[in-house]
Amino acid sequence: MSDRLYSKDHEWIEMDADIGTIGVSDHAQEQLGDVVFVELPEIGRAVVQNEEAAVVESVKAASEVYSPVSGEVVEVNETLTDDPAQVNADPHGEGWFIRIRVDDMSQLEGLMNEEAYQEFLAELD
Amino acid sequence: MRYLPHTDADRQAMLGVIGAKTIDDLYIDVPRSALLDAPVDLPHHQGELAVERALSAMADKNLSGANAPFFVGCGAYRHHVPASVDSLIQRGEFLTSYTPYQPEVSQGTLQMLFEFQTMVAMLTGMDVANASMYDGASGTAEAVLMANRVTRRHRAVLSGGLHPHYRETVETYARYGDFEIASQNLDPDGVQDLADLIDENTSCVVVQTPDVMGRLRDLTVLAEACHAAGALLVAVVTEVVSLGLVKSPGEMGADIVVCEGQSLGNPMGFGGPYVGLFATRDKYVRQMPGRLVGQAHDSEDRRGWVLTLSTREQHIRREKATSNICTNSGLCALAFTIHLSLLGEAGFTGLARLNHEAAQRVAERLAGIDGVDVLNETYFNEFTLRLSRPAAEVVDALAERGVLGGVPLSRLAPDNDALKDLMVVAATEMTTDEELDALANALQEVLS
Amino acid sequence: MTATSSGHRGLVMEEPLLFEQDADGRTGVDLPDAEGRKPRLGGLERKARIGLPGLSEPQIVRHFTRLSQKNYAIDSGFYPLGSCTMKHNPRLNEKMVRLPGFSMAHPLQPQQTVQGCLELISTLAHWITTLTGMPGVAMSPAAGAHGELAGLMTIRAALTARGDARKTVLVPESAHGTNPATAALCDYKVESIPANERGRIDVDALKAAMSEDVAALMLTNPNTCGLFENEILEVADVLHDAGAFFYGDGANFNAIVGRVRPGDLGIDAMHLNLHKTFSTPHGGGGPGSGPVVLSEPLIPYAPLPYVVADGDGFRMVEHDDSGDSFGRLRSFHGQMGMFVRALAYMMSHGADGLRMVAEDAILNANYVMARLKDSYNVPFPGPCMHECLFDDHSLKDTGVTTLDIAKGMIDEGFHPMTMYFPLVVHGAMLIEPTETESKASVDQFCDTMLHLMERAQSGDADWFHEAPHLAPWRRLDETAAARRPVLTWKPEEEKGEAA
């Protein structure tokens, strides 16, 4: 079982000290279809919990990626610019979007663990 | 009713299948008070001949570039359109098809638009062009909105030489889109410096060349000033034929180029529909408004084309779209593309040269008339005269003599007193010696 | 598919790009020689080659003829695109717009020399205001979305004039994408109103969303589910009681022209798409024309320019001394070429014929719904207006999607319906036959649709996934095209540099 936590908007975050890596869930990439473009924030930008941090596009849809917690962007996954298909191929690994320095660790408490997220998905169907 | 195939028997049979007694049963959701029982108060149907006569009678009331000596320009131009252009655009497969959303059965429109995009990029000296906008003026407003998105700034500087219709259009979009405009007034005595108006909030400078008075402008230094301040240079061209003879805005450093494309393939038609050309650098393509066609391959690896990068557009992005634009000017873009491909490199540059020389002949002849000063140091196919009388009166007096002599600048900018005596005169490959004689004689008479 | 040595397949011709047929020095026009004057260009002469291809006239005519043959069109077949009103485009319209008195008139000629043009605009405006029951119309918008922009700006100007800085526009979730995009362009916050279980706007939700901050509701009626908003009079009252305006999207006017006047429904502003209801050609995606009709309180704020009757003649007002007009949205006066076509169409049908247009349009749509309803799931019961909506419920567990049905239709010789719109139902299929299809044509279409559903339900999913099989092209890879966009042709040497 990983330490990955999920939001209701289908983003995940994985913490390493105060740095959180953020991506979209396998369910989200499946819903979106083949990803053709990813728009990433600039490094240093402050992102706010549940507000837009990045944009991900398929041929027929565009979705915002919301940051599950607030923080400052310290790294972005540049490889997605050339190879957005990574989001489909490995959403929880090579397909990560951004790393942020988390402002307030208590914001993590409202997120779901793997098990809770799977239950959440089951309810959606 | 010649456009309706159903017979009364068809209608009855269909109502039967539906399970309705009368058509009004199908209007059951309309509030009864709003359903009309009788035709509205307008004439009843007419045959082709009657309609043709009525509309021809209206057309015959106009003086036009077909039957009068003609020198009117300022954003729309009288050019010769080869016969094959109109013949081809009337093919039903072009005329009566819709936006190419289903690429497997729309390759004709898609390939044509790809060729259009390529030729527009070539003419403007840019990397990429979209599949067209409504016209040059609304395209210019879209260019400013795009520059605001790219730079995340909200102040546009507009050159005084920008066509007043274009300037007013940008001002309207600004008033309602909540960004700021810094405009120059049109100065008849020289091309003004714009660099002073650029500040750290400036998203773009919009400059037209040739400008509304016909004067050419080197954009190179201005482009450098824009880029140094982190702003974009938006170049506007209202006479696309000028690009056959004049250095392209791209070569001079522009970041977005907007043109009115009417001159190629499209009649003046009392103002529309026209075709806005919109081109930019590769790096800004995702901030572009409008449709884009891209190359693709099918499952048998045959080359084809599709609408692409659609996530910028309103039907997907809704309130977050780059523009609300949906319709483009497809048929006008087709006419443009056919005309330009008939011309080719040699024909297009040759046509531009003929236009420039026609304007020189007219300018030289009119300069010899008492009460006429030619203001332009430089021009392509139109230039501005200072007259010894208010230009609006002169234009009316010329019209009384059956000559369509030009545009009084006071018509475009009535508040600017400095323009009162100025008239813009255009000439093209269609201008004949007889027309020039008629204008020169009438002008002499009016001014004496 | 049998390979041929030429690449052609019978009448379907391979056609390279213009640029791939270029030969230096070839041209499709013969121009007189230049005199060789010294240019007056201030040293700005173009030195670089443009790169335009050289072809002769026969090559150009063949090129564009071959391209045209790769397009589906109303002239060649049934084109049931919902919300697009793909009706027959009469050729009289085309003949009239080419009269030199219209086509060779310049928009900045002295007004006394273009009285015929102004008369035509004024006459068309009269037809439009009479058909809509509205007191005014702004003719200049270039297309439907441009008309929406004009309408919302007029509303905002009227609100500003009364010192009312409202910031929200309400848009039903079933709306065309242009509605929210237009509201955003006017700097309004967009709030979505849900549909009720009958596919209409939820009036209770509307009431709950109303406040003094709401400037307008943008409502399409008939709506994008093909249904008439039967509570529309109440909707208008809710808006007007709260001081808000009622914007109508007139994209679907074809269902009601001559039978219902928006002016009797409490509408304050509504654009009409002349390329839909009034038969001006779609031309592969434009040009359109989007006059917007206005209620009395909005008329002073209408965009420039506009035509007024003046003594025995007409006058174009290009500048507004009162300062009320919100301004200009484009160059010159509007889509004159579309005005001529639309008026030719209206005069041909007349007041009596236009009623029959609406009636036959809804007859055809209800007939399609009746014939398909046992096979395709109808999310909202009829009667429908000029288009009928199905969802993909009947395709559940077949492995076939709405997109697959669309591609199957191509093999059967039909243009697909509008798919995946409106967004309020799953896998939407929106079918608009229009009044210009005969019963035989509609029957053949229905037979085909029934056959396709049978085929999908019989487990033939593989055939659908590979469709179209018989179109000039097989399914194109839009994903690859979007990942690596190639938007212009480049000569081989430049492609090499770029790689």
Side-chain angles (χ1 to χ4, degrees), chain B residues 152-190:
Chain B
R152 300 188 186 188
R153 297 177 180 182
H154 294 91
R155 179 177 178 273
V157 172
L158 308 187
S159 153
L162 185 63
H163 191 298
H165 285 180
Y166 288 54
R167 168 172 154 178
E168 289 165 24
T169 302
V170 177
E171 284 170 350
T172 301
Y173 277 74
R175 207 170 317 123
Y176 292 91
D178 204 23
F179 58 91
E180 204 188 317
I181 297 284
S183 300
Q184 279 182 332
N185 268 332
L186 177 59
D187 179 357
D189 298 320

Side-chain angles (χ1 to χ4, degrees), chain C residues 154 208 264 274 332 357 388 473:
Chain C
T154 307
D264 296 333
L274 297 187
F332 310 122
V357 164
C388 54
W473 265 261

Side-chain angles (χ1 to χ4, degrees), chain C residues 164-462:
Chain C
D164 203 346
R166 298 173 180 237
K167 294 300 291 172
T168 302
V169 165
L170 306 177
V171 178
E173 56 186 4
S174 61
H176 295 117
T178 51
N179 292 172
T182 300
L185 201 51
C186 291
D187 212 27
Y188 280 117
K189 187 158 73 64
V190 177
E191 209 173 300
S192 182
I193 304 292
N196 63 22
E197 70 289 345
R198 299 178 54 252
R200 271 84 171 181
I201 186 169
D202 183 333
V203 178
D204 289 331
L206 172 68
K207 284 178 183 163
M210 282 312 297
S211 74
E212 296 205 335
D213 194 48
V214 174
L217 166 75
M218 299 180 84
L219 184 70
T220 308
N221 187 37
N223 68 24
T224 58
C225 300
L227 304 169
F228 197 90
E229 292 283 351
N230 60 314
E231 293 176 291
I232 190 160
L233 296 174
E234 192 182 352
V235 168
D237 287 342
V238 169
L239 291 164
H240 293 150
D241 289 348
F245 287 99
F246 190 176
Y247 186 88
D249 179 326
N252 294 340
F253 191 58
N254 203 49
I256 58 174
V257 59
R259 292 295 330 249
V260 182
R261 297 181 303 179
D264 296 333
L265 301 173
I267 302 271
D268 292 299
M270 184 181 88
H271 72 269
L272 294 171
N273 304 79
L274 297 187
H275 50 285
K276 293 182 182 174
T277 309
F278 299 111
S279 84
T280 73
H282 283 79
S289 179
V292 55
V293 292
L294 299 168
S295 64
E296 207 66 62
L298 290 177
I299 290 173
Y301 308 99
L304 293 167
Y306 50 87
V307 177
V308 292
D310 189 21
D312 293 340
F314 301 92
R315 189 163 53 88
M316 172 79 69
V317 178
E318 294 172 294
H319 301 277
D320 173 39
D321 297 327
S322 71
D324 287 335
S325 164
F326 78 74
R328 176 178 276 284
L329 269 178
R330 56 165 303 152
S331 54
F332 310 122
H333 323 309
Q335 306 287 71
M336 180 70 180
M338 300 297 139
F339 299 163
V340 177
R341 291 174 170 103
L343 185 60
Y345 175 81
M346 289 182 191
M347 291 172 71
S348 295
H349 268 305
D352 51 337
L354 288 169
R355 283 168 70 85
M356 293 172 71
V357 164
E359 292 176 356
D360 282 357
I362 70 166
L363 181 68
N364 275 354
N366 278 284
Y367 182 73
V368 169
M369 186 187 247
R371 284 211 51 200
L372 301 188
K373 68 174 191 286
D374 293 336
S375 180
Y376 289 77
N377 189 54
V378 175
F380 310 115
C384 62
M385 289 280 104
H386 64 307
E387 56 193 354
C388 54
L389 176 65
F390 302 95
D391 64 23
D392 63 1
H393 189 80
S394 309
L395 291 169
K396 205 169 184 332
D397 302 325
T398 62
V400 175
T401 64
T402 292
L403 176 72
D404 297 329
I405 293 284
K407 300 303 182 192
M409 287 167 73
I410 292 176
D411 275 337
E412 294 280 356
F414 291 95
H415 194 280
M417 68 280 154
T418 291
M419 48 182 196
Y420 301 107
F421 180 84
L423 309 174
V424 290
V425 301
H426 199 269
M429 299 176 229
L430 186 64
I431 296 173
E432 179 179 5
T434 86
E435 74 283 2
T436 58
E437 292 304 323
S438 68
K439 180 168 182 295
S441 153
V442 177
D443 272 327
Q444 191 189 35
F445 169 75
C446 291
D447 293 343
T448 304
M449 291 302 283
L450 294 172
H451 163 78
L452 286 173
M453 182 56 81
E454 226 169 86
R455 189 163 192 173
Q457 289 172 341
S458 72
D460 210 355
D462 288 346

Side-chain angles (χ1 to χ4, degrees), chain B residues 2 6 11 27 29 36 45 61 76 86 91 109 172 175 243 245 270 302 328 342 345 357 361 411, chain C residues 14 28 35 46 51 68 71-72 98 105-106 109 119 200 255 259 285 326 328 348 352 360 364 472:
Chain B
R2 61 188 182 276
H6 289 337
R11 293 188 179 101
Y27 281 112
D29 290 317
L36 301 176
H45 68 277
K61 290 179 189 167
D86 200 41
R91 287 191 64 91
T109 295
T172 301
R175 207 170 317 123
L243 295 174
L245 206 55
F270 199 58
R302 290 176 69 211
N328 67 356
L342 281 163
E345 182 88 15
E357 293 192 343
R361 279 198 303 279
R411 171 148 179 199
Chain C
E14 276 292 311
E35 295 170 54
R46 175 189 276 278
S68 76
N71 271 0
Y72 199 90
R98 287 167 173 80
H106 189 289
Q109 280 178 222
E119 181 184 347
R200 271 84 171 181
R259 292 295 330 249
F326 78 74
R328 176 178 276 284
S348 295
D352 51 337
D360 282 357
N364 275 354

Side-chain angles (χ1 to χ4, degrees), chain B residues 17 59 96 109 141 144 162 191 241 319 329 383 385 403 429 441:
Chain B
V17 172
T96 75
T109 295
V144 172
L162 185 63
V191 173
V241 175
E319 66 267 26
S329 287
F383 53 86
L385 305 181
V403 175
E429 76 285 357
N441 294 338

Side-chain angles (χ1 to χ4, degrees), chain A:
Chain A
M1 193 62 104
S2 79
D3 299 330
R4 210 176 293 124
L5 297 171
Y6 294 87
S7 72
K8 286 183 175 165
D9 295 316
H10 309 287
E11 288 86 19
W12 56 263
I13 183 166
E14 203 167 72
M15 296 303 299
D16 180 6
D18 64 340
I19 301 296
T21 302
I22 295 171
V24 300
S25 73
D26 190 46
H27 171 80
Q29 70 79 18
E30 215 178 278
Q31 291 292 310
L32 203 57
D34 293 337
V35 172
V36 299
F37 180 68
V38 172
E39 187 184 313
L40 297 164
E42 58 273 33
I43 289 174
R45 196 177 120 197
V47 294
V48 179
Q49 185 178 29
N50 298 330
E51 287 187 15
E52 179 187 321
V55 179
V56 57
E57 297 183 1
S58 65
V59 171
K60 303 285 185 206
S63 310
E64 286 75 33
V65 177
Y66 300 104
S67 186
V69 295
S70 301
E72 180 194 331
V73 178
V74 294
E75 196 181 341
V76 298
N77 187 359
E78 302 276 6
T79 60
L80 295 186
T81 309
D82 286 333
D83 189 12
Q86 290 284 357
V87 177
N88 298 116
D90 190 8
H92 294 163
E94 296 295 315
W96 65 278
F97 279 65
I98 56 172
R99 293 207 166 96
I100 66 170
R101 179 170 290 112
V102 176
D103 291 342
D104 177 1
M105 302 294 262
S106 73
Q107 285 183 342
L108 295 166
E109 287 164 18
L111 301 174
M112 293 173 271
N113 64 20
E114 183 78 46
E115 195 183 344
Y117 181 64
Q118 291 306 330
E119 279 172 29
F120 172 71
L121 288 182
E123 279 168 31
L124 285 185
D125 277 338

Side-chain angles (χ1 to χ4, degrees), chain B residues 2-6 11 14 24 26-27 29 36-38 40 43-46 52 58 61-65 72-73 76 86 90-99 102 104-109 111 114-115 117-118 122-123 135 137 165 168-169 172 175-176 178 216 243 245 247 268-273 291 294-295 297-300 302-303 314 318-319 324 328 331 341-345 347 356-357 360-361 364 376-379 396 411 414, chain C residues 9 14-16 18 20 27-28 31 35-38 40-41 44 46 50-53 60 63-64 67-68 70-75 79 81 86 89-90 95-96 98 101 103-106 108-109 112-114 116-117 119 145 156-157 175 177-178 181-182 184 186-187 200 230 255 259 281-286 318-319 326 328 330-332 335-337 348-352 355 360 364 385 407 419 435-436 472-475 477 486-489:
Chain B
R2 61 188 182 276
Y3 303 147
L4 299 177
H6 289 337
R11 293 188 179 101
M14 293 169 85
D24 280 8
L26 304 179
Y27 281 112
D29 290 317
L36 301 176
D37 290 324
V40 295
H44 279 214
H45 68 277
Q46 298 181 68
E52 212 173 307
M58 289 188 206
K61 290 179 189 167
N62 299 321
L63 203 58
S64 78
V72 192
D86 200 41
Q90 288 197 71
R91 287 191 64 91
E93 302 93 324
F94 285 130
L95 188 74
T96 75
S97 60
Y98 192 59
T99 306
Q102 297 286 346
E104 297 87 353
V105 286
S106 310
Q107 284 299 310
T109 295
Q111 182 171 340
F114 185 78
E115 292 171 341
Q117 289 176 182
T118 302
M122 286 174 171
L123 287 182
D135 67 358
H165 285 180
E168 289 165 24
T169 302
T172 301
R175 207 170 317 123
Y176 292 91
D178 204 23
L216 291 155
L243 295 174
L245 206 55
K247 223 189 251 186
M268 296 179 291
F270 199 58
R291 285 181 199 138
Q295 192 171 302
H297 289 85
D298 76 358
S299 54
E300 291 173 353
R302 290 176 69 211
R303 181 178 67 173
Q314 48 75 27
R318 300 174 79 85
E319 66 267 26
N324 76 334
N328 67 356
L331 200 64
S341 51
L342 281 163
L343 288 164
E345 182 88 15
H356 186 44
E357 293 192 343
Q360 291 185 50
R361 279 198 303 279
E364 284 163 18
N376 293 53
E377 299 277 327
T378 61
Y379 55 88
D396 285 347
R411 171 148 179 199
Chain C
R9 304 176 188 187
E14 276 292 311
E15 181 61 16
L18 287 167
E20 294 160 348
T27 181
L31 298 173
E35 295 170 54
R37 285 166 172 267
K38 184 168 166 291
R40 296 284 304 264
L41 302 171
L44 293 173
R46 175 189 276 278
I50 301 167
L52 295 171
I60 301 278
H63 177 76
F64 287 100
L67 292 194
S68 76
K70 299 176 203 301
N71 271 0
Y72 199 90
I74 309 170
D75 277 2
Y79 214 128
L81 264 182
M86 300 300 285
N89 300 150
K95 185 175 180 187
M96 292 300 94
R98 287 167 173 80
S103 69
M104 293 290 279
H106 189 289
L108 296 177
Q109 280 178 222
Q112 63 275 24
T113 67
V114 286
C117 290
E119 181 184 347
R156 202 174 135 179
T178 51
T182 300
C186 291
D187 212 27
R200 271 84 171 181
N230 60 314
R259 292 295 330 249
H282 283 79
E318 294 172 294
H319 301 277
F326 78 74
R328 176 178 276 284
R330 56 165 303 152
S331 54
F332 310 122
Q335 306 287 71
M336 180 70 180
S348 295
H349 268 305
D352 51 337
R355 283 168 70 85
D360 282 357
N364 275 354
M385 289 280 104
K407 300 303 182 192
M419 48 182 196
E435 74 283 2
T436 58
W473 265 261
R474 303 298 300 275
R475 222 178 268 204
D477 186 350
V486 176
L487 305 174
T488 57
W489 175 87

